[in-house]
Amino acid sequence: MKFSLNDIARCLDLPVSTVDRWIRQGRIPIHRNGNACIFKKSVLEKWAFNHSMPFFLPNEEKEIYKGQNPDLTNLLPAMQLGGVFHDIKGADVESVLKSAVDKVPVLSINKEKLYKRLLEREALTSTGIGKGVAIPHPRAPLPEEIDKPLIITCFLEQSIDFAAVDDKPVCVMFLLLSRSIKNHLHLLSRLAFCVRDDLFVEFLRTYPDTSSFLSRIADCENLLDETD
Amino acid sequence: MRILRRWRQPASWSIFRQDDRLLLILIAVIVGTCSGLAAVVLNRSLIAMFEWLHHFRHYWWSFIIPAIGAALSALFLDKMVKEGAGHGVPEVIYSVSRYGGLMRFRSSFSRLISSCLTIGSGGSAGPEAPVVMSGAAIGSNIAKFFSLNDRQRVTIVGCGAAGAISSIFNAPIAGMVFSMEIILGEWKAANIVSIAIASVAGTEISRILQGNQIAFSHRLFNVGHLDIVACIGLAIISAAASILLTRLLGSMHGVSKKIPFPTWMRAAAGGCAVGIIGLFLPVVLGEGYHPLRTMIEGVYTQGIGIVTVAFLAKILATSLTLGWGGSGGIFAPCLVIGSLAGLTYHRGLLLLWPSVPWVNEGCFALLGMAGLVSGMLQAPLTGIFLIIEITGSYEVILPLIIVSVISTTLCHYIEPASFYLKELVEKGQLLRQGTDRSVLSDLSVQELLEKDCMVVKQNMLLRNFINIIKKSHRNYFPVEDERTGHFLGIIHLDDIRPYLFNPLMYDAVVLGQMMDTNVEVVYLDDDLSEVLQKMDANRVFSMPVIANKKFIGMISKATLLDKYRKELMVQTDL
Amino acid sequence: MHTQLFHIFRNTPLGRETLLQSIYFCKKTGSSLIIYIPEFTKFLMYFENDVVQIDLDNSYLISPETALRHAKELLDQGNIKARFLKPKNYTASTLPDISTNFDFMCCPRSISDLSSKIGLGYIGPRVRRIVNSARFPILITSSVFKKWRSIAVFFGGSANAVNALKLGLRISRASKIPLTVFTHAENTSKESYEEIIKNENLAEEMDRYVTKWHIFESGKFEENLYNIPHDALVILGAYGHSLIKSIIFGGKMETIQSIITNNLLIAGPNYALTR
């Protein structure tokens, strides 16, 4: 096969100068003719394997990178997937969580187990982050149970005492289920960004309907993307 | 034209691309033959010159002959071919270790002519080192002609050296071992094959042209148990002689350098001194193979007094010749000094214990040779195989091994580097494959550059900087001037961490006020060993790389380890 | 892209002109200047597959005590900073190695023979060896410092000419000085040259940087050379021919360099764009 030096360096994920030097020193089974590098694919593959170096032809390489960097799911798709529910019943944390878990739209999930996990997490410390908002979530991500991260938005029928950080009663809950810690943090930080805005909290207190709520979330996310 | 070009690049032929061993063997035959021929030519012209000048030896003024020879050889080297003096082996080793054995074309004949002038006129030096240099240079140039790569070229340079030694001593194994032990400094199967072939080719060419004769034949020796014990003493004497010779050569070199004469005058002065010694003790003149033969045969008649004086005189003459600018090697003088040492020791033993039936004195001469060669070169195998082959005396192998090994060990104890490597070790330029130094010298700053650092401007507010921190993967942020793009300093996240969480400061400080301007920087052409020293001295793991006052990347120990390991793997395999 | 120009300083008026030329080149192309003030009359350059010993003529060593001062004066006048190279490695005690990691090297027409030999049409054997082995182009200066205001590339269609063209584009990009291409058509049409450009993916860059492409389909080569502006930097590619071959077969480069007094930038057969 015939490649240019730059291509070879990209295939081996090495600096051009290193490959150039190795060819000159005869340490790599490539023969150079002017700017063209001549090599046998099988030989070079074997060599790279023996020296535990990567070797990908340019078209194979892209697929690998795609697999390595899955995009993080943003709030809006997660909320759309999870759904928005009003008038969640319950007078205390346990009962509210119980009725929230019932709303989870994923069938494959073991709701009893999830409920226990949520309680475990609450026992650790309250997930009420203040301003009347709580973000209950299991302590560990659920890579097995769900395909995509989702947020179940629950507007409560009555405000309850959630032992939140500012001791204010909670009226909105975002039940956060994600597949990976990374995505969990990503969603959590985005939610926190929204909640930091007092106008948004005011808006939540009006118990908006599903479509206006989701469009508000979209606006918030756009704002976040711009400042980044 | 195209066919011609293809012919010059055999490495690109498909039969050789898979495995180049066959190609290397073919080239080794060519190189071995050529360097063997060079050795024969030098040998013949030395004999011719010695015979021609023999008629003038009886005149009182004959002591100036070595002076003329040395001066001519120095002039030739300095003015005609513009090369430095010295025997050239360090140059070969240097180029092998650093530049893949690239050598100049002129080296392939320059030392032959200059050493021929020096030795032929009676200077006390050997023709072997010049022949090694020529052979190596011939190999290098043939490899260059065929556009071989560095690894292949190094092997071919080794082939050249092996062919030359094999041819001049008619000793194929010694040539092989010499080349591996001293020139290449590594034992690899891939090298051994082609070097062996070159040795065979070199030896064969010498046998065709000069006949197959053992250089120093002798009677059979009957080595007794007592002789083996006695040879330990000889080893000590030969080690002492090696050290004396090394030191004397070094000091002569230092003395002659201080004299403000041109090189050829210095060489002439040295040659003159040798000539005067030679008036009284002709044994010191030339490479000394003729007296060597009589010593090995055991028919050297002089008594202990004269032998001892000759032993010391030869050391002095050799250091005068080589230290003052004559051209030649150390090999042949070593053999002569060694055999004189052996004779001295034997005469001393006879004097002390006349009743013990010691083995013939020729045997001790032979052991002394081995002791000196191994001691000077600190290469025991070369000493053992060379003596075995040039004397054809396998029966003395046991004492031979003992003398060689003890002498090498003692010399190494006092002089850590051998005569050939001394110069390089002192300058810190000895790089052997697969060592830390060689890995570091091969890698360059350019290859380790990490370009994923985000450069910030000096007038940026801390508030804007926070957003940049979010996106960056690195802890270091180089700061540059907006207008000129020059590097000003660096911000390390660790240093500013306390301020990051203080919103009051967000609009109060610009980055120019926060950066560390007193940073050590690295330039693209810095040596990595120096860079590492700087890192260790400042206890940092990363340093910015600057070129033309602009920041171009970071260099860090983490990447270095990654690259270092790859380099080491690539260097040490095969 | 950061580039470096290597200059060997000769402490004579001729050397002054050469250094002025180097300074001008560096300022135009934004390269940094590296100056070597020789201590010995010889040094080695290890190239990829060749080692060249460069024996400087004795005028390089004239009064070393003033050399550094002279060089610094010129640099101050030119308002440019340079790095002075100190050889780190020595092959023999009086034989330093000079690294070959440069992007350009500046040479007068001869560095190992007496400067009295320097004239049109003469390029010293060492300079030729450097051109043939180096991976960087060589700036061969005119004997008197001359500013250049345009760049002229000779493009004859061969592989070396393509290299020269790429080099010209690179210089033009760095210095923002427009490029003129000269082609002496020999039995081939304009289309065939355009075909070559297209195959090398240079068409787009050609459009951007090249202001004019002169193709001479008639007239003698020497005559057509008259059209090159006197204040142009002339860029050309060199074949790897030995001296004898070029004398026998002739060569465009020989013709050009024997009748043109401009500064020449020569891309040798090993010139690689990778750096």
Side-chain angles (χ1 to χ4, degrees):
Chain A
M1 288 180 95
K2 210 170 180 177
F3 266 29
S4 83
L5 194 59
N6 284 322
D7 289 341
I8 282 278
R10 212 170 303 133
C11 290
L12 288 164
D13 193 22
L14 286 168
V16 177
S17 40
T18 308
V19 180
D20 182 30
R21 183 167 53 79
W22 281 353
I23 294 175
R24 194 181 70 225
Q25 294 178 332
R27 299 213 167 116
I28 186 168
I30 298 177
H31 182 76
R32 218 178 75 189
N33 196 350
N35 241 347
C37 300
I38 304 158
F39 63 94
K40 242 194 172 123
K41 193 183 160 210
S42 57
V43 175
L44 194 58
E45 260 170 359
K46 199 174 153 208
W47 181 89
F49 177 76
N50 282 340
H51 293 84
S52 55
M53 275 176 223
F55 176 75
F56 302 110
L57 294 176
N59 40 0
E60 297 172 17
E61 175 191 43
K62 269 176 207 148
E63 285 164 24
I64 295 291
Y65 276 120
K66 246 181 207 164
Q68 276 173 349
N69 287 327
D71 291 10
L72 295 173
T73 315
N74 281 344
L75 282 183
L76 191 61
M79 284 180 166
Q80 278 166 343
L81 205 66
V84 181
F85 303 95
H86 292 83
D87 301 332
I88 299 294
K89 296 191 171 44
D92 54 2
V93 178
E94 284 83 7
S95 57
V96 167
L97 284 180
K98 183 82 189 157
S99 25
V101 165
D102 286 338
K103 302 281 184 195
V104 173
V106 183
L107 295 174
S108 59
I109 208 158
N110 184 338
K111 297 205 170 169
E112 197 55 37
K113 214 164 150 190
L114 177 63
Y115 172 64
K116 270 191 189 147
R117 282 185 175 194
L118 288 177
L119 282 185
E120 266 172 34
R121 172 65 187 84
E122 286 311 317
L124 214 59
T125 168
S126 164
T127 54
I129 59 167
K131 296 186 182 177
V133 177
I135 309 177
H137 52 261
R139 191 168 148 184
L142 313 163
E144 317 273 284
E145 285 92 338
I146 54 175
D147 302 330
K148 278 180 178 166
L150 48 121
I151 298 174
I152 299 104
T153 313
C154 305
F155 292 102
L156 303 187
E157 199 183 42
Q158 59 182 91
S159 297
I160 58 159
D161 180 23
F162 218 89
V165 280
D166 54 359
D167 285 336
K168 282 186 183 159
V170 164
C171 60
V172 186
M173 260 179 15
F174 299 101
L175 179 54
L176 189 57
L177 305 176
S178 48
R179 298 196 64 205
S180 66
I181 292 182
K182 210 168 175 180
N183 213 150
H184 177 76
L185 286 177
H186 178 74
L187 289 172
L188 201 59
S189 92
R190 284 185 163 236
L191 257 181
F193 175 83
C194 297
V195 172
R196 210 165 54 198
D197 185 7
D198 285 332
L199 287 173
F200 180 78
V201 178
E202 284 300 312
F203 170 72
L204 286 182
R205 287 191 192 286
T206 60
Y207 295 95
D209 60 45
T210 308
S211 58
S212 62
F213 170 74
L214 287 179
S215 69
R216 182 70 187 243
I217 288 289
D219 290 346
C220 279
E221 282 210 298
N222 285 340
L223 194 70
L224 198 65
D225 287 336
E226 272 165 34
T227 52
D228 250 6
Chain B
M1 198 60 207
R2 178 160 301 164
I3 296 164
L4 208 70
R5 209 171 296 149
R6 264 185 79 66
W7 176 69
R8 291 209 18 197
Q9 298 201 329
S12 68
W13 298 352
S14 48
I15 31 165
F16 294 137
R17 214 184 300 145
Q18 275 282 318
D19 196 338
D20 51 14
R21 276 173 218 194
L22 203 57
L23 170 72
L24 288 185
I25 288 173
L26 286 179
I27 296 183
V29 174
I30 304 173
V31 170
T33 314
C34 290
S35 58
L37 256 172
V40 171
V41 166
L42 178 61
N43 203 9
R44 280 300 167 89
S45 47
L46 272 183
I47 292 170
M49 194 152 162
F50 211 73
E51 275 173 3
W52 180 61
L53 287 172
H54 196 69
H55 310 295
F56 304 102
R57 291 261 176 250
H58 313 295
Y59 299 105
W60 62 270
W61 47 263
S62 65
F63 67 86
I64 60 162
I65 297 176
I68 296 172
L72 280 180
S73 99
L75 272 177
F76 172 78
L77 272 186
D78 198 40
K79 302 287 179 219
M80 294 268 288
V81 291
K82 303 192 175 161
E83 277 201 340
H87 48 88
V89 176
E91 263 185 69
V92 178
I93 298 171
Y94 174 78
S95 105
V96 162
S97 63
R98 197 177 272 272
Y99 297 105
L102 271 177
M103 292 176 74
R104 290 157 290 167
F105 177 69
R106 59 182 83 174
S107 301
S108 54
F109 59 87
S110 63
R111 299 298 154 106
L112 288 185
I113 297 173
S114 69
S115 66
C116 182
L117 286 168
T118 306
I119 303 166
S121 66
S124 170
E128 291 78 18
V131 157
V132 166
M133 173 134 186
S134 298
I138 289 170
S140 169
N141 280 284
I142 289 177
K144 201 157 84 187
F145 181 79
F146 288 118
S147 327
L148 298 187
N149 61 34
D150 285 11
R151 181 176 52 81
Q152 297 161 333
R153 199 188 304 120
V154 164
T155 310
I156 296 298
V157 166
C159 289
I165 287 284
S166 312
S167 162
I168 202 155
F169 286 123
N170 186 12
I173 301 180
M176 251 169 82
V177 172
F178 174 85
S179 179
M180 305 290 278
E181 201 170 33
I182 292 170
I183 302 293
L184 301 184
E186 57 179 355
W187 300 80
K188 276 203 230 156
N191 290 345
I192 292 177
V193 173
S194 17
I195 288 176
I197 295 290
S199 293
V200 170
T203 316
E204 193 54 43
I205 201 84
S206 134
R207 286 189 184 170
I208 290 170
L209 295 175
Q210 312 205 48
N212 180 10
Q213 55 194 12
I214 293 171
F216 308 103
S217 55
H218 58 84
R219 284 177 273 160
L220 204 65
F221 299 128
N222 286 314
V223 186
H225 302 298
L226 261 180
D227 298 314
I228 295 186
V229 178
C231 71
I232 297 172
L234 180 59
I236 296 170
I237 289 188
S238 54
S242 315
I243 303 273
L244 181 66
L245 182 57
T246 313
R247 292 278 160 93
L248 210 56
L249 269 170
S251 62
M252 284 290 180
H253 209 72
V255 169
S256 79
K257 261 197 175 163
K258 285 187 193 125
I259 299 172
F261 285 155
T263 40
W264 65 271
M265 295 254 284
R266 276 186 250 158
C272 209
V274 174
I276 291 170
I277 299 175
L279 281 183
F280 304 102
L281 286 163
V283 64
V284 305
L285 290 179
E287 91 264 47
Y289 284 162
H290 185 67
L292 201 56
R293 223 158 268 147
T294 59
M295 282 184 261
I296 302 244
E297 278 164 16
V299 292
Y300 197 72
T301 46
Q302 263 78 6
I304 180 165
I306 292 184
V307 171
T308 315
V309 172
F311 164 53
L312 296 173
K314 181 72 184 177
I315 296 182
L316 184 65
T318 307
S319 33
L320 278 171
T321 308
L322 297 179
W324 286 66
S327 174
I330 194 75
F331 228 106
C334 267
L335 296 181
V336 177
I337 295 167
S339 56
L340 283 168
L343 281 193
T344 313
Y345 186 66
H346 182 254
R347 306 264 150 108
L349 283 180
L350 275 183
L351 214 64
L352 291 173
W353 294 285
S355 55
V356 181
W358 299 107
V359 72
N360 186 285
E361 59 177 21
C363 178
F364 275 93
L366 197 147
L367 295 177
M369 282 169 20
L372 232 88
V373 169
S374 327
M376 281 304 277
L377 309 185
Q378 295 192 3
L381 284 181
T382 307
I384 294 168
F385 283 113
L386 181 76
I387 305 302
I388 293 268
E389 279 191 295
I390 61 176
T391 58
S393 51
Y394 189 74
E395 69 272 15
V396 294
I397 184 90
L398 294 183
L400 200 62
I401 294 176
I402 293 177
V403 172
S404 289
V405 171
I406 293 179
S407 168
T408 307
T409 317
L410 287 177
C411 286
H412 187 73
Y413 193 67
I414 299 169
E415 285 274 346
S418 75
F419 176 71
Y420 285 148
L421 303 179
K422 205 175 168 211
E423 212 179 305
L424 292 170
V425 170
E426 276 167 8
K427 281 191 281 182
Q429 294 191 324
L430 180 67
L431 308 166
R432 290 294 202 197
Q433 281 287 306
T435 56
D436 171 68
R437 296 183 73 96
S438 102
V439 173
L440 283 183
S441 83
D442 268 359
L443 285 170
S444 66
V445 176
Q446 176 82 49
E447 293 170 41
L448 298 175
L449 218 51
E450 300 163 358
K451 291 179 176 159
D452 58 347
C453 264
M454 294 177 117
V455 184
V456 292
K457 312 276 187 229
Q458 69 161 333
N459 290 333
M460 182 185 271
L461 285 172
L462 182 57
R463 176 178 297 283
N464 303 331
F465 180 54
I466 301 270
N467 284 325
I468 288 183
I469 295 179
K470 273 189 202 162
K471 275 180 248 161
S472 171
H473 302 289
R474 306 295 305 262
N475 291 341
Y476 288 94
F477 297 90
V479 185
E480 64 174 28
D481 192 285
E482 278 96 344
R483 205 169 40 78
T484 56
H486 288 175
F487 173 79
L488 298 170
I490 200 153
I491 294 180
H492 186 199
L493 215 51
D494 284 353
D495 298 339
I496 60 160
R497 216 180 287 278
Y499 317 121
L500 287 181
F501 303 101
N502 185 351
L504 282 179
M505 290 184 77
Y506 283 3
D507 295 310
V509 270
V510 294
L511 299 185
Q513 298 168 300
M514 300 172 71
M515 68 190 179
D516 183 5
T517 47
N518 193 19
V519 278
E520 286 267 7
V521 295
V522 178
Y523 299 97
L524 269 184
D525 44 3
D526 279 357
D527 277 347
L528 268 181
S529 49
E530 288 169 22
V531 173
L532 276 174
Q533 269 172 13
K534 271 193 202 169
M535 281 186 180
D536 289 342
N538 297 315
R539 292 172 178 273
V540 290
F541 287 93
S542 299
M543 280 164 89
V545 182
I546 307 296
N548 206 10
K549 289 194 203 156
K550 292 193 177 88
F551 173 85
I552 51 170
M554 294 290 288
I555 180 166
S556 78
K557 277 194 182 171
T559 338
L560 180 67
L561 177 68
D562 180 39
K563 293 283 151 87
Y564 187 98
R565 186 163 164 262
K566 277 185 185 157
E567 188 69 36
L568 200 62
M569 277 198 291
V570 172
Q571 273 200 13
T572 48
D573 75 346
L574 281 169
Chain C
M1 184 60 192
H2 166 70
T3 51
Q4 294 177 316
L5 175 100
F6 177 57
H7 182 99
I8 308 165
F9 183 62
R10 189 199 305 240
N11 191 15
T12 60
L14 174 71
R16 179 174 60 199
E17 300 298 326
T18 323
L19 182 57
L20 283 171
Q21 197 66 60
S22 285
I23 292 174
Y24 187 76
F25 183 87
C26 282
K27 286 174 87 169
K28 282 287 169 194
T29 58
S31 309
S32 56
L33 183 58
I34 292 174
I35 298 179
Y36 173 53
I37 298 178
E39 290 165 54
F40 306 103
T41 48
K42 53 200 172 197
F43 63 85
L44 285 182
M45 292 186 98
Y46 285 90
F47 294 107
E48 190 168 352
N49 193 24
D50 197 8
V51 48
V52 181
Q53 174 169 346
I54 293 164
D55 304 305
L56 301 168
D57 86 62
N58 282 325
S59 67
Y60 277 94
L61 290 192
I62 292 174
S63 53
E65 60 277 4
T66 60
L68 188 64
R69 187 165 54 81
H70 282 164
K72 281 194 170 150
E73 275 171 14
L74 291 176
L75 292 171
D76 286 344
Q77 281 170 27
N79 195 18
I80 189 170
K81 285 264 191 306
R83 200 163 62 77
F84 288 92
L85 186 87
K86 280 265 168 284
K88 281 181 200 152
N89 301 319
Y90 288 83
T91 296
S93 53
T94 55
L95 191 58
D97 310 341
I98 301 288
S99 103
T100 49
N101 286 326
F102 306 111
D103 303 277
F104 305 102
M105 178 173 168
C106 172
C107 278
R109 279 170 180 264
S110 166
I111 49 177
S112 51
D113 302 301
L114 289 178
S115 47
S116 58
K117 272 195 183 174
I118 293 179
L120 274 186
Y122 178 77
I123 291 182
R126 291 296 134 196
V127 181
R128 278 175 197 278
R129 276 281 288 283
I130 299 175
V131 169
N132 276 344
S133 332
R135 305 186 71 178
F136 42 80
I138 312 294
L139 176 69
I140 295 190
T141 60
S142 52
S143 47
V144 178
F145 169 54
K146 188 168 185 180
K147 291 183 178 173
W148 39 271
R149 294 190 178 78
S150 63
I151 303 173
V153 173
F154 276 96
F155 180 66
S158 66
N160 292 302
V162 171
N163 271 346
L165 184 61
K166 284 181 182 164
L167 174 64
L169 291 169
R170 180 174 150 197
I171 300 287
S172 173
R173 220 165 25 231
S175 61
K176 300 184 179 62
I177 291 177
L179 197 66
T180 328
V181 177
F182 290 84
T183 299
H184 179 74
E186 282 167 336
N187 311 323
T188 30
S189 59
K190 187 176 175 179
E191 285 71 38
S192 63
Y193 288 109
E194 276 166 354
E195 184 72 29
I196 295 168
I197 301 279
K198 209 181 231 169
N199 289 341
E200 293 285 332
N201 288 329
L202 288 172
E204 193 190 321
E205 275 197 284
M206 282 286 280
D207 287 343
R208 197 178 329 153
Y209 295 105
V210 176
T211 46
K212 196 152 172 47
W213 189 355
H214 298 277
I215 296 187
F216 304 109
E217 298 193 21
S218 61
K220 276 181 85 176
F221 183 59
E222 287 84 346
E223 191 184 324
N224 293 333
L225 285 180
Y226 199 85
N227 291 307
I228 293 172
H230 66 91
D231 56 355
L233 173 72
V234 174
I235 298 180
L236 57 152
Y239 295 88
H241 291 327
S242 66
L243 184 64
I244 301 160
K245 262 190 213 152
S246 355
I247 288 172
I248 297 169
F249 299 118
K252 286 281 177 288
M253 176 189 145
E254 297 304 318
T255 325
I256 293 168
Q257 63 101 353
S258 62
I259 52 176
I260 270 189
T261 53
N262 299 35
N263 292 298
L264 304 173
L265 189 62
I266 302 183
N270 283 329
Y271 171 66
L273 278 164
T274 45
R275 293 194 310 133

